[in-house]
Amino acid sequence: MSDTSTTDAVAQDIDTETGSAVDDADDEDSGPAIALYAQWAVFAILTLVALIATLQFYFSASSAIDTFVTDRYRPLFNAAFNLAVVLACGLGLSVLVRRLA
């Protein structure tokens, strides 16, 4: 009978240790998960700010072209500026697609 009681006590100790390890793992996983969500939130906010700044730059550059370039050459400068913006966007998108693939 002493072997049975010792075995039962060891089994209870193992169950207790396993149960506490599972609880600790859940607590440890919530920390990195919260940090990951915070990083994605910061990424989204910075992306939004960058988008707003890019649009403001685009309209400011167009306004500067209207101010400093004569009427005769304005369409040419606008076309060159828009082409540069399209090429930069295409380059950025191609790099992003390569990284995702």
Side-chain angles (χ1 to χ4, degrees):
M1 283 195 121
S2 63
D3 289 334
T4 307
S5 63
T6 306
T7 306
D8 290 339
V10 171
Q12 288 175 352
D13 289 340
I14 291 173
D15 289 340
T16 304
E17 289 175 8
T18 306
S20 65
V22 171
D23 292 340
D24 291 341
D26 290 340
D27 292 340
E28 291 174 3
D29 289 341
S30 65
I34 292 172
L36 183 65
Y37 290 136
Q39 289 174 356
W40 277 108
V42 169
F43 176 77
I45 290 169
L46 290 176
T47 302
L48 181 64
V49 169
L51 179 64
I52 291 169
T54 302
L55 289 174
Q56 287 180 346
F57 170 76
Y58 178 82
F59 291 123
S60 295
S62 294
S63 178
I65 289 172
D66 290 341
T67 301
F68 294 112
V69 178
T70 62
D71 291 337
R72 183 175 179 187
Y73 298 110
R74 199 170 290 159
L76 181 62
F77 274 86
N78 279 330
F81 177 67
N82 289 334
L83 180 63
V85 169
V86 167
L87 290 176
C89 289
L91 179 66
L93 287 172
S94 68
V95 168
L96 183 63
V97 168
R98 286 182 188 166
R99 287 186 180 182
L100 292 175

